[in-house]
Amino acid sequence: MTQPDPTSLEALRRAIDAVDDEVLELLNHRAALAADVGRLKAQAAPEAPFHAPRRERDVLARLGAANPGPFPGAAVRTVFQEIMSACLSLEKPLRVAFLGPEGSFSHLAARHQFGGSSHALPQGTIEAVFGAVDRGRADYGVVPVENATEGAVDSTLDAFLDSPSRICAEILLPVDQALLLRPDLDLAAVRRVYSHPQALGQCRRWLEVHLSQADRVEAPSTSEAARLAREDAEGAAVASELAAELFGLKVAEARIQDLAANATRFLVLGPRSAEPTGCDRTTLLAMAPDGPGALLRLLEPLARRGLNLSRIQSRPTRRRLWEYAFFLDVEGHAEDPSLAEALDDLRAACASLKVLGSYPRTDA
């Protein structure tokens, strides 16, 4: 390819146009190949899942490692996730349920994982996200499980007690909270601040300093908070800047969270766990019989094999008074020999044990 004159703006722009035309031609060629793959998979195994998450992970990892620059490495995943999402939609769009409405951080996490060509299914509650996956109305669900500032999302943990869905991936999403107002409203006139309890907690100090006169009003999600603020002449919302665009609000202040490096961990729900990658995490739900040393008996099989327990959280089962379930995150895959042996010992030590899923770690 002839190199353009680097001192001529017009020549450079013509060269960029030519490259864009070539990229578009290649994208259409890729889409045609993907359609052929879908056709062959449907002929060979009509009942097999049409989505291959491991294949996507391998492609993204290979391209990220092979990128020589100057195209930004961080953008490689975003671009190719959208390309794969668009190509998959030619076969069948993925139905992805999340805590809505659109514009919530769960929506952002779902788009990060599955791309913009997936079919968004916003749900009013976290329990409804589980229900959509459990009943087959969604291929996947995305739910928040913990925040770096506010800790565990209890409603997500509680929903696992009765759901057959499995965890097949996790997403670590940076979370920047913004204060959103109607275009005609000033900060001093705000009397109510709407948001999800987790978001209000993440911005507690900022709100106390700048909006001490306003009541805090809990909403099912940050995007629903934006909708409520739009309808309230004295209302504001703590939500994403995307929610401001969707609901016609102005960003009065950006990045108001108390912890600058704020992040939320999301779980992806699906019909089955992910295949082992060599760098995985497994989430367990254990019910230990009441009595002295119950928690020690729960942890000992893991410690004896040198398995790292990265998180433990207890929740009441709501079935009997003072009965608790323990959620444990363990590094490794349930099919790894050492963890598989530990699970056998745990089953003997627990009243019940459920493997909620094994999936690739995002912090590796």
Side-chain angles (χ1 to χ4, degrees), residues 205-297:
R205 290 199 301 272
W206 192 95
L207 294 173
E208 288 173 354
V209 171
H210 298 278
L211 284 173
S212 58
Q213 81 279 6
D215 294 329
R216 316 296 189 255
V217 183
E218 294 186 357
S221 68
T222 53
S223 50
E224 175 64 12
R227 189 193 67 79
L228 292 169
R230 183 186 62 187
E231 306 300 323
D232 186 343
E234 297 179 320
V238 174
S240 68
E241 295 190 29
L242 174 60
E245 297 177 18
L246 294 175
F247 292 96
L249 301 172
K250 66 180 179 181
V251 178
E253 192 73 34
R255 296 180 58 84
I256 66 171
Q257 66 271 10
D258 298 332
L259 184 65
N262 191 26
T264 294
R265 180 178 168 228
F266 295 83
L267 299 177
V268 179
L269 310 174
R272 63 189 63 81
S273 293
E275 299 174 354
T277 67
C279 194
D280 303 296
R281 192 189 318 276
T282 296
T283 298
L284 308 173
L285 170 58
M287 294 186 187
D290 188 25
L295 184 57
L296 178 61
R297 289 193 295 274

Coordinates of all heavy atoms in Angstrom, one line a residue, residues 205-297:
R205 N -20.3 10.6 52.1 CA -19.6 11.8 52.6 C -19.9 13.0 51.7 O -20.1 14.1 52.2 CB -18.1 11.6 52.7 CG -17.7 10.6 53.8 CD -16.2 10.8 54.2 NE -15.4 10.5 53.1 CZ -14.9 9.3 52.8 NH1 -15.2 8.2 53.5 NH2 -14.1 9.1 51.8
W206 N -19.9 12.8 50.4 CA -20.1 13.9 49.5 C -21.5 14.5 49.7 O -21.7 15.7 49.7 CB -20.0 13.5 48.0 CG -19.9 14.6 47.1 CD1 -18.8 15.2 46.5 CD2 -21.0 15.3 46.5 NE1 -19.2 16.2 45.7 CE2 -20.5 16.3 45.6 CE3 -22.4 15.1 46.6 CZ2 -21.3 17.1 44.9 CZ3 -23.2 16.0 45.9 CH2 -22.7 17.0 45.0
L207 N -22.5 13.6 49.8 CA -23.9 14.1 50.0 C -24.0 14.8 51.3 O -24.8 15.8 51.4 CB -24.8 12.8 50.0 CG -24.9 12.1 48.6 CD1 -25.8 10.9 48.7 CD2 -25.5 13.1 47.6
E208 N -23.4 14.3 52.4 CA -23.5 15.0 53.7 C -22.9 16.4 53.6 O -23.4 17.4 54.2 CB -22.7 14.2 54.8 CG -23.4 12.9 55.2 CD -22.6 12.1 56.1 OE1 -21.4 12.4 56.3 OE2 -23.1 11.1 56.6
V209 N -21.8 16.6 52.8 CA -21.2 17.9 52.7 C -22.0 18.9 51.8 O -22.2 20.0 52.1 CB -19.7 17.8 52.2 CG1 -19.1 19.2 51.9 CG2 -18.9 17.1 53.3
H210 N -22.4 18.4 50.7 CA -23.0 19.2 49.6 C -24.5 19.2 49.6 O -25.1 20.2 49.0 CB -22.5 18.8 48.3 CG -21.0 19.0 48.2 ND1 -20.4 20.1 47.9 CD2 -20.0 18.0 48.3 CE1 -19.0 19.9 47.8 NE2 -18.8 18.7 48.1
L211 N -25.2 18.2 50.1 CA -26.6 18.2 50.1 C -27.2 17.7 51.4 O -28.1 16.8 51.5 CB -27.1 17.2 49.0 CG -27.0 17.7 47.5 CD1 -27.3 16.6 46.5 CD2 -27.9 18.9 47.3
S212 N -26.7 18.3 52.5 CA -27.2 18.0 53.8 C -28.7 18.3 54.0 O -29.3 17.7 54.8 CB -26.4 18.7 54.9 OG -26.5 20.1 54.7
Q213 N -29.2 19.2 53.2 CA -30.6 19.6 53.3 C -31.6 18.6 52.7 O -32.8 18.7 52.9 CB -30.9 21.0 52.7 CG -31.0 21.0 51.2 CD -29.7 21.0 50.4 OE1 -28.7 20.8 51.0 NE2 -29.8 21.1 49.1
A214 N -31.1 17.7 51.9 CA -31.9 16.8 51.1 C -32.1 15.4 51.7 O -31.2 14.9 52.3 CB -31.3 16.6 49.7
D215 N -33.3 14.9 51.6 CA -33.6 13.5 52.1 C -33.1 12.5 51.1 O -33.0 12.8 49.9 CB -35.1 13.3 52.2 CG -35.7 14.2 53.3 OD1 -35.0 14.5 54.3 OD2 -36.9 14.6 53.1
R216 N -32.6 11.4 51.6 CA -32.2 10.3 50.8 C -33.4 9.4 50.5 O -34.0 8.9 51.5 CB -31.0 9.5 51.4 CG -29.9 10.3 52.1 CD -29.2 11.2 51.1 NE -28.0 11.7 51.7 CZ -27.9 13.0 52.1 NH1 -28.9 13.9 51.9 NH2 -26.8 13.5 52.7
V217 N -33.6 9.1 49.3 CA -34.8 8.2 48.9 C -34.3 7.0 48.1 O -33.7 7.2 47.1 CB -35.8 9.0 48.1 CG1 -37.0 8.1 47.8 CG2 -36.2 10.3 48.8
E218 N -34.5 5.8 48.7 CA -34.0 4.6 48.0 C -34.8 4.3 46.8 O -36.0 4.4 46.8 CB -33.9 3.4 49.0 CG -33.0 3.6 50.2 CD -32.8 2.4 51.0 OE1 -33.6 1.4 50.8 OE2 -32.0 2.4 52.0
A219 N -34.1 3.8 45.7 CA -34.8 3.4 44.5 C -34.3 2.0 44.2 O -33.2 1.6 44.6 CB -34.4 4.4 43.4
P220 N -35.0 1.2 43.3 CA -34.6 -0.1 43.0 C -33.3 -0.2 42.2 O -32.5 -1.2 42.3 CB -35.7 -0.7 42.1 CG -36.9 0.2 42.4 CD -36.3 1.5 42.8
S221 N -32.9 0.9 41.5 CA -31.7 0.9 40.7 C -31.3 2.4 40.5 O -32.1 3.3 40.7 CB -31.9 0.2 39.3 OG -32.7 1.0 38.5
T222 N -30.1 2.6 40.0 CA -29.6 4.0 39.8 C -30.3 4.6 38.6 O -30.6 5.8 38.6 CB -28.1 4.0 39.5 OG1 -27.7 3.1 38.5 CG2 -27.3 3.7 40.8
S223 N -30.6 3.8 37.6 CA -31.3 4.3 36.4 C -32.8 4.6 36.7 O -33.3 5.6 36.2 CB -31.2 3.4 35.2 OG -31.6 2.1 35.6
E224 N -33.4 3.8 37.6 CA -34.8 4.2 38.1 C -34.7 5.5 38.9 O -35.6 6.3 38.8 CB -35.4 3.0 38.9 CG -36.7 3.3 39.5 CD -37.8 3.6 38.5 OE1 -37.6 3.3 37.3 OE2 -38.9 4.1 38.9
A225 N -33.6 5.7 39.6 CA -33.5 6.9 40.4 C -33.4 8.1 39.4 O -34.0 9.2 39.7 CB -32.2 6.9 41.2
A226 N -32.7 8.0 38.3 CA -32.7 9.0 37.3 C -34.1 9.4 36.8 O -34.4 10.5 36.6 CB -31.7 8.7 36.2
R227 N -34.9 8.3 36.5 CA -36.2 8.6 36.1 C -37.1 9.3 37.1 O -37.8 10.2 36.8 CB -36.9 7.2 35.7 CG -38.3 7.4 35.0 CD -39.0 6.1 35.0 NE -39.4 5.7 36.3 CZ -40.5 6.2 37.0 NH1 -41.2 7.2 36.4 NH2 -40.8 5.7 38.2
L228 N -36.9 8.9 38.4 CA -37.6 9.6 39.5 C -37.2 11.0 39.6 O -38.1 11.9 39.8 CB -37.4 8.8 40.8 CG -38.0 7.4 40.9 CD1 -37.5 6.7 42.1 CD2 -39.6 7.5 40.9
A229 N -35.9 11.3 39.4 CA -35.4 12.7 39.5 C -36.0 13.5 38.4 O -36.3 14.7 38.6 CB -33.9 12.7 39.5
R230 N -36.1 12.9 37.2 CA -36.7 13.7 36.1 C -38.1 14.1 36.4 O -38.5 15.2 35.9 CB -36.6 12.8 34.9 CG -37.1 13.5 33.6 CD -37.2 12.5 32.4 NE -38.1 11.4 32.7 CZ -38.3 10.4 31.9 NH1 -37.6 10.3 30.8 NH2 -39.2 9.5 32.2
E231 N -38.9 13.3 37.2 CA -40.3 13.6 37.4 C -40.4 14.5 38.7 O -41.6 15.0 38.9 CB -41.0 12.3 37.6 CG -40.9 11.3 36.5 CD -41.4 11.9 35.2 OE1 -42.4 12.6 35.2 OE2 -40.8 11.6 34.1
D232 N -39.4 14.8 39.4 CA -39.5 15.5 40.7 C -38.8 16.9 40.5 O -37.6 17.0 40.2 CB -38.8 14.7 41.8 CG -38.9 15.3 43.2 OD1 -39.3 16.5 43.3 OD2 -38.7 14.6 44.2
A233 N -39.6 17.9 40.7 CA -39.1 19.3 40.5 C -38.0 19.7 41.5 O -37.3 20.7 41.3 CB -40.2 20.3 40.6
E234 N -37.9 18.9 42.6 CA -36.9 19.2 43.6 C -36.0 18.0 43.9 O -35.4 17.8 44.9 CB -37.6 19.6 44.9 CG -38.3 20.9 44.8 CD -39.0 21.3 46.1 OE1 -39.5 20.4 46.9 OE2 -39.0 22.5 46.5
G235 N -36.0 17.1 42.9 CA -35.2 15.8 43.0 C -33.9 15.8 42.3 O -33.7 16.4 41.3
A236 N -33.0 15.0 42.8 CA -31.7 14.7 42.1 C -31.5 13.2 42.2 O -32.2 12.5 42.9 CB -30.6 15.4 42.8
A237 N -30.5 12.7 41.4 CA -30.2 11.3 41.4 C -28.7 11.1 41.5 O -28.0 11.9 40.9 CB -30.8 10.7 40.2
V238 N -28.3 10.0 42.1 CA -27.0 9.5 42.1 C -27.0 8.4 41.1 O -27.7 7.3 41.3 CB -26.5 9.1 43.4 CG1 -25.1 8.4 43.3 CG2 -26.4 10.2 44.4
A239 N -26.3 8.5 39.9 CA -26.4 7.5 38.9 C -25.2 7.7 37.9 O -24.3 8.6 38.2 CB -27.7 7.6 38.1
S240 N -25.2 7.0 36.8 CA -24.2 7.1 35.8 C -24.4 8.3 34.9 O -25.5 8.8 34.8 CB -24.1 5.8 35.0 OG -25.2 5.7 34.2
E241 N -23.4 8.7 34.2 CA -23.5 9.8 33.2 C -24.3 9.3 32.0 O -25.0 10.1 31.4 CB -22.1 10.3 32.8 CG -21.4 11.0 33.9 CD -20.1 11.7 33.4 OE1 -20.1 12.1 32.3 OE2 -19.2 11.8 34.2
L242 N -24.3 8.0 31.8 CA -25.2 7.4 30.7 C -26.6 7.6 31.1 O -27.4 8.0 30.2 CB -24.9 5.9 30.5 CG -25.8 5.2 29.5 CD1 -25.7 5.8 28.2 CD2 -25.4 3.7 29.5
A243 N -27.0 7.5 32.3 CA -28.4 7.7 32.8 C -28.8 9.1 32.5 O -29.9 9.4 32.2 CB -28.5 7.3 34.2
A244 N -27.8 10.1 32.7 CA -28.2 11.5 32.4 C -28.6 11.7 31.0 O -29.5 12.4 30.6 CB -27.0 12.4 32.8
E245 N -27.8 11.0 30.0 CA -28.2 11.1 28.6 C -29.5 10.5 28.3 O -30.3 11.0 27.6 CB -27.1 10.4 27.8 CG -25.7 11.0 27.9 CD -24.7 10.2 27.1 OE1 -25.1 9.5 26.3 OE2 -23.5 10.4 27.4
L246 N -29.8 9.3 28.9 CA -31.0 8.6 28.6 C -32.3 9.3 29.2 O -33.3 9.2 28.6 CB -31.0 7.2 29.2 CG -29.9 6.3 28.6 CD1 -29.9 4.9 29.3 CD2 -30.2 6.0 27.1
F247 N -32.1 10.0 30.3 CA -33.3 10.6 30.9 C -33.3 12.2 30.8 O -34.1 12.8 31.5 CB -33.4 10.2 32.4 CG -33.7 8.7 32.5 CD1 -32.6 7.8 32.7 CD2 -35.0 8.3 32.5 CE1 -32.9 6.4 32.8 CE2 -35.3 6.9 32.6 CZ -34.2 6.0 32.8
G248 N -32.5 12.8 30.0 CA -32.5 14.2 29.8 C -32.1 15.0 31.0 O -32.7 16.1 31.2
L249 N -31.2 14.6 31.8 CA -30.7 15.3 33.0 C -29.4 15.9 32.7 O -28.6 15.5 31.8 CB -30.7 14.3 34.2 CG -32.0 13.7 34.6 CD1 -31.8 12.6 35.7 CD2 -33.0 14.7 35.0
K250 N -29.0 16.8 33.6 CA -27.6 17.4 33.5 C -26.7 16.8 34.6 O -27.2 16.4 35.6 CB -27.6 18.9 33.6 CG -28.1 19.4 35.0 CD -28.1 20.9 35.0 CE -28.5 21.5 36.4 NZ -28.5 22.9 36.4
V251 N -25.5 16.7 34.3 CA -24.5 16.2 35.3 C -24.0 17.4 36.1 O -23.2 18.2 35.6 CB -23.3 15.5 34.6 CG1 -22.3 15.1 35.6 CG2 -23.8 14.3 33.8
A252 N -24.6 17.5 37.3 CA -24.2 18.7 38.1 C -22.8 18.5 38.7 O -22.1 19.5 38.9 CB -25.2 18.8 39.3
E253 N -22.4 17.2 39.0 CA -21.1 16.9 39.5 C -20.8 15.5 39.2 O -21.6 14.6 39.3 CB -21.1 17.1 41.1 CG -19.7 17.1 41.7 CD -18.9 18.4 41.4 OE1 -19.6 19.5 41.4 OE2 -17.7 18.3 41.3
A254 N -19.6 15.3 38.7 CA -19.1 14.0 38.3 C -18.2 13.4 39.4 O -17.6 14.1 40.2 CB -18.4 14.0 37.0
R255 N -18.1 12.1 39.4 CA -17.2 11.3 40.3 C -17.4 11.8 41.8 O -16.4 12.3 42.4 CB -15.7 11.5 39.9 CG -15.4 10.9 38.5 CD -14.0 11.1 38.1 NE -13.1 10.6 39.1 CZ -12.7 9.3 39.1 NH1 -13.2 8.4 38.3 NH2 -11.8 8.9 40.0
I256 N -18.6 11.6 42.3 CA -18.9 12.1 43.7 C -18.7 10.9 44.7 O -18.9 11.1 45.9 CB -20.3 12.6 43.8 CG1 -21.3 11.6 43.5 CG2 -20.5 13.8 42.8 CD1 -22.8 12.0 43.9
Q257 N -18.3 9.7 44.2 CA -18.1 8.6 45.1 C -17.0 8.9 46.1 O -16.0 9.6 45.8 CB -17.8 7.3 44.4 CG -16.5 7.3 43.6 CD -16.6 7.8 42.2 OE1 -17.6 8.3 41.8 NE2 -15.6 7.6 41.4
D258 N -17.1 8.4 47.3 CA -16.1 8.7 48.4 C -14.8 8.0 48.1 O -13.7 8.5 48.5 CB -16.7 8.2 49.8 CG -18.0 9.0 50.2 OD1 -18.1 10.1 49.7 OD2 -18.8 8.4 50.9
L259 N -14.8 6.8 47.5 CA -13.6 6.1 47.2 C -13.3 6.3 45.7 O -14.1 5.9 44.8 CB -13.8 4.6 47.4 CG -12.6 3.7 47.2 CD1 -11.4 4.1 48.2 CD2 -13.0 2.2 47.4
A260 N -12.2 7.0 45.4 CA -11.9 7.4 44.0 C -11.8 6.2 43.1 O -12.4 6.2 42.0 CB -10.6 8.1 43.9
A261 N -11.2 5.1 43.6 CA -11.1 3.9 42.7 C -12.2 2.9 43.0 O -12.0 1.8 43.4 CB -9.7 3.2 43.0
N262 N -13.4 3.4 42.9 CA -14.6 2.6 43.2 C -14.9 1.6 42.1 O -14.7 1.9 41.0 CB -15.8 3.6 43.3 CG -17.1 2.9 43.9 OD1 -16.9 1.9 44.6 ND2 -18.2 3.4 43.6
A263 N -15.3 0.4 42.5 CA -15.6 -0.6 41.6 C -16.6 -1.6 42.1 O -16.7 -1.7 43.4 CB -14.3 -1.4 41.2
T264 N -17.4 -2.2 41.2 CA -18.4 -3.2 41.6 C -18.1 -4.4 40.9 O -17.8 -4.4 39.7 CB -19.8 -2.7 41.3 OG1 -20.1 -1.5 42.1 CG2 -20.9 -3.7 41.6
R265 N -18.3 -5.5 41.6 CA -18.1 -6.9 41.0 C -19.5 -7.4 40.7 O -20.4 -7.4 41.5 CB -17.4 -7.8 42.0 CG -17.2 -9.2 41.5 CD -16.4 -10.0 42.6 NE -16.4 -11.4 42.3 CZ -16.7 -12.4 43.2 NH1 -17.0 -12.0 44.4 NH2 -16.7 -13.6 42.8
F266 N -19.6 -7.8 39.4 CA -20.9 -8.4 39.0 C -20.7 -9.9 38.7 O -19.6 -10.3 38.3 CB -21.4 -7.7 37.7 CG -21.7 -6.3 37.9 CD1 -20.8 -5.3 37.9 CD2 -23.1 -5.9 38.1 CE1 -21.1 -4.0 38.1 CE2 -23.4 -4.6 38.3 CZ -22.4 -3.6 38.3
L267 N -21.7 -10.7 38.8 CA -21.7 -12.1 38.4 C -22.6 -12.3 37.2 O -23.7 -11.7 37.1 CB -22.2 -13.0 39.6 CG -21.4 -12.9 40.9 CD1 -22.0 -13.8 41.9 CD2 -19.9 -13.3 40.6
V268 N -22.2 -13.2 36.3 CA -23.0 -13.5 35.1 C -23.6 -14.9 35.4 O -22.9 -15.9 35.7 CB -22.1 -13.6 33.9 CG1 -22.9 -14.0 32.7 CG2 -21.4 -12.3 33.6
L269 N -24.9 -14.9 35.4 CA -25.7 -16.1 35.6 C -26.0 -16.8 34.3 O -26.3 -16.2 33.3 CB -27.0 -15.8 36.3 CG -27.0 -14.9 37.5 CD1 -28.4 -14.6 38.0 CD2 -26.2 -15.6 38.6
G270 N -25.9 -18.2 34.3 CA -26.2 -18.9 33.1 C -26.6 -20.3 33.5 O -26.7 -20.7 34.7
P271 N -26.8 -21.2 32.5 CA -27.2 -22.6 32.8 C -26.1 -23.5 33.3 O -26.4 -24.6 33.8 CB -27.8 -23.0 31.4 CG -27.0 -22.2 30.4 CD -26.7 -20.9 31.1
R272 N -24.8 -23.1 33.1 CA -23.8 -24.0 33.5 C -22.5 -23.2 33.8 O -22.4 -22.0 33.4 CB -23.4 -25.0 32.3 CG -23.0 -24.3 31.1 CD -22.9 -25.2 29.9 NE -24.2 -25.8 29.6 CZ -25.1 -25.1 28.8 NH1 -24.8 -23.9 28.4 NH2 -26.2 -25.7 28.6
S273 N -21.6 -23.8 34.5 CA -20.3 -23.2 34.9 C -19.4 -23.1 33.6 O -19.7 -23.8 32.6 CB -19.6 -24.0 35.9 OG -20.2 -23.9 37.2
A274 N -18.4 -22.3 33.7 CA -17.4 -22.2 32.6 C -16.4 -23.3 32.7 O -16.2 -24.0 33.8 CB -16.7 -20.9 32.7
E275 N -15.8 -23.6 31.6 CA -14.7 -24.6 31.6 C -13.5 -24.1 32.3 O -13.3 -22.9 32.3 CB -14.4 -25.0 30.1 CG -15.6 -25.6 29.4 CD -15.3 -25.8 27.9 OE1 -14.2 -25.4 27.5 OE2 -16.1 -26.4 27.2
P276 N -12.7 -25.0 32.8 CA -11.4 -24.6 33.5 C -10.5 -23.8 32.5 O -10.4 -24.2 31.3 CB -10.8 -25.9 33.9 CG -11.9 -26.9 33.9 CD -12.8 -26.5 32.8
T277 N -9.9 -22.8 33.1 CA -8.9 -22.0 32.3 C -7.5 -22.0 32.9 O -6.6 -21.5 32.3 CB -9.4 -20.5 32.2 OG1 -9.3 -19.9 33.5 CG2 -10.8 -20.4 31.7
G278 N -7.4 -22.5 34.2 CA -6.2 -22.5 34.9 C -6.0 -21.3 35.8 O -5.1 -21.2 36.5
C279 N -7.0 -20.4 35.7 CA -7.0 -19.2 36.6 C -8.4 -18.8 36.9 O -9.0 -17.9 36.3 CB -6.3 -18.0 35.9 SG -5.9 -16.7 36.9
D280 N -9.0 -19.7 37.8 CA -10.4 -19.6 38.0 C -10.8 -19.3 39.5 O -9.9 -19.3 40.3 CB -11.1 -21.0 37.6 CG -10.8 -21.3 36.2 OD1 -11.2 -20.6 35.3 OD2 -10.1 -22.3 36.0
R281 N -12.1 -19.1 39.7 CA -12.6 -18.9 41.0 C -13.9 -19.8 41.1 O -14.6 -19.9 40.1 CB -13.0 -17.4 41.2 CG -13.3 -17.1 42.7 CD -13.9 -15.7 42.9 NE -13.2 -14.7 42.1 CZ -12.1 -14.0 42.5 NH1 -11.5 -14.4 43.6 NH2 -11.6 -13.1 41.7
T282 N -14.2 -20.3 42.3 CA -15.4 -21.1 42.5 C -16.1 -20.5 43.7 O -15.5 -20.2 44.7 CB -15.0 -22.6 42.8 OG1 -14.4 -23.2 41.6 CG2 -16.3 -23.4 43.1
T283 N -17.4 -20.4 43.5 CA -18.3 -19.8 44.6 C -19.1 -21.0 45.2 O -19.8 -21.7 44.4 CB -19.2 -18.7 44.1 OG1 -18.3 -17.6 43.7 CG2 -20.1 -18.2 45.2
L284 N -19.1 -21.1 46.5 CA -19.8 -22.2 47.2 C -20.9 -21.6 48.1 O -20.7 -20.5 48.6 CB -18.8 -23.0 48.0 CG -17.6 -23.6 47.3 CD1 -16.6 -24.2 48.3 CD2 -18.0 -24.6 46.2
L285 N -21.9 -22.4 48.3 CA -23.0 -22.1 49.2 C -23.0 -23.2 50.2 O -23.4 -24.4 49.8 CB -24.3 -21.9 48.5 CG -25.6 -21.8 49.4 CD1 -25.4 -20.6 50.4 CD2 -26.8 -21.6 48.6
A286 N -22.7 -23.0 51.5 CA -22.6 -24.1 52.4 C -23.5 -23.8 53.6 O -23.6 -22.6 54.1 CB -21.1 -24.2 52.9
M287 N -24.1 -24.8 54.2 CA -24.9 -24.7 55.4 C -24.2 -25.6 56.4 O -24.3 -26.8 56.2 CB -26.3 -25.0 55.2 CG -27.0 -24.0 54.3 SD -28.8 -24.3 54.1 CE -29.2 -23.1 52.8
A288 N -23.6 -25.0 57.4 CA -22.9 -25.8 58.4 C -23.9 -26.1 59.6 O -24.6 -25.2 60.0 CB -21.7 -25.0 58.9
P289 N -23.8 -27.3 60.2 CA -24.6 -27.5 61.3 C -24.2 -26.7 62.5 O -23.0 -26.4 62.7 CB -24.4 -29.0 61.6 CG -23.1 -29.3 60.9 CD -23.0 -28.4 59.8
D290 N -25.2 -26.2 63.3 CA -24.9 -25.4 64.5 C -24.1 -26.2 65.5 O -24.3 -27.4 65.7 CB -26.2 -24.9 65.0 CG -25.9 -23.8 66.1 OD1 -24.9 -23.2 66.1 OD2 -26.8 -23.7 67.0
G291 N -23.1 -25.5 66.1 CA -22.4 -26.2 67.2 C -20.9 -25.6 67.2 O -20.5 -25.0 66.2
P292 N -20.2 -25.9 68.3 CA -18.8 -25.5 68.4 C -17.9 -26.0 67.2 O -18.0 -27.2 66.9 CB -18.4 -26.0 69.7 CG -19.6 -26.3 70.5 CD -20.6 -26.7 69.5
G293 N -17.1 -25.1 66.7 CA -16.2 -25.5 65.6 C -16.8 -25.7 64.3 O -16.1 -26.2 63.4
A294 N -18.1 -25.3 64.1 CA -18.7 -25.5 62.8 C -18.0 -24.8 61.7 O -17.8 -25.3 60.6 CB -20.2 -25.1 62.9
L295 N -17.6 -23.5 61.9 CA -17.0 -22.7 60.9 C -15.6 -23.3 60.6 O -15.1 -23.4 59.5 CB -16.9 -21.3 61.3 CG -16.3 -20.3 60.2 CD1 -17.0 -20.4 58.9 CD2 -16.3 -18.9 60.7
L296 N -14.9 -23.7 61.7 CA -13.5 -24.3 61.5 C -13.6 -25.6 60.6 O -12.8 -25.8 59.7 CB -13.0 -24.7 62.9 CG -11.6 -25.3 62.9 CD1 -10.5 -24.4 62.2 CD2 -11.2 -25.7 64.3
R297 N -14.6 -26.4 60.8 CA -14.7 -27.6 60.0 C -15.0 -27.3 58.6 O -14.7 -28.0 57.6 CB -15.9 -28.5 60.6 CG -15.5 -29.2 61.9 CD -16.5 -30.3 62.2 NE -17.8 -29.7 62.5 CZ -18.3 -29.3 63.6 NH1 -17.5 -29.3 64.7 NH2 -19.5 -28.8 63.8

